[in-house]
Amino acid sequence: MDETADAGLKRMAMRSWRRGTKEMDLVLGPFADAHLAGLSKPDLLTYDALLAENDQDLMAWILGQSVPPPALAPLLTRIIAFAETRLAREK
């Protein structure tokens, strides 16, 4: 069954907020709320692939403890910048 664009956005938003670890929920959830609807089709495909990764790898990439796959790196850079800006505003 093919997924509509709207259903895909809703699924990705839900997966962003319900990762399995609270830390990743707090990084990906707000990013999805703020940017998911505005991402290009290629970026949406990349984001969907990113959601398939496990939280331990995602956290290591975000914290700079390991190098992400090249296909995910540009989007992860945007997610990290968004999270850092959001954190700075909350201080």
Side-chain angles (χ1 to χ4, degrees):
M1 174 166 53
D2 289 330
E3 182 177 60
T4 66
D6 189 47
L9 289 174
K10 287 178 183 178
R11 176 184 52 77
M12 286 187 270
M14 184 195 71
R15 280 292 296 135
S16 297
W17 278 106
R18 290 169 180 83
R19 292 293 310 163
T21 64
K22 190 64 172 176
E23 294 84 0
M24 288 313 305
D25 294 350
L26 294 173
V27 171
L28 295 179
F31 178 83
D33 288 350
H35 296 287
L36 204 57
L39 291 179
S40 67
K41 178 80 171 171
D43 282 344
L44 285 172
L45 292 172
T46 301
Y47 191 79
D48 205 17
L50 182 135
L51 291 174
E53 299 291 339
N54 71 57
D55 285 357
Q56 292 76 18
D57 288 339
L58 285 171
M59 187 58 72
W61 298 333
I62 288 170
L63 294 176
Q65 297 170 339
S66 65
V67 178
L72 299 179
L75 186 57
L76 276 169
T77 299
R78 290 173 60 189
I79 292 168
I80 292 165
F82 176 81
E84 288 173 344
T85 301
R86 186 172 160 264
L87 182 61
R89 274 188 262 146
E90 291 182 4
K91 287 185 177 181

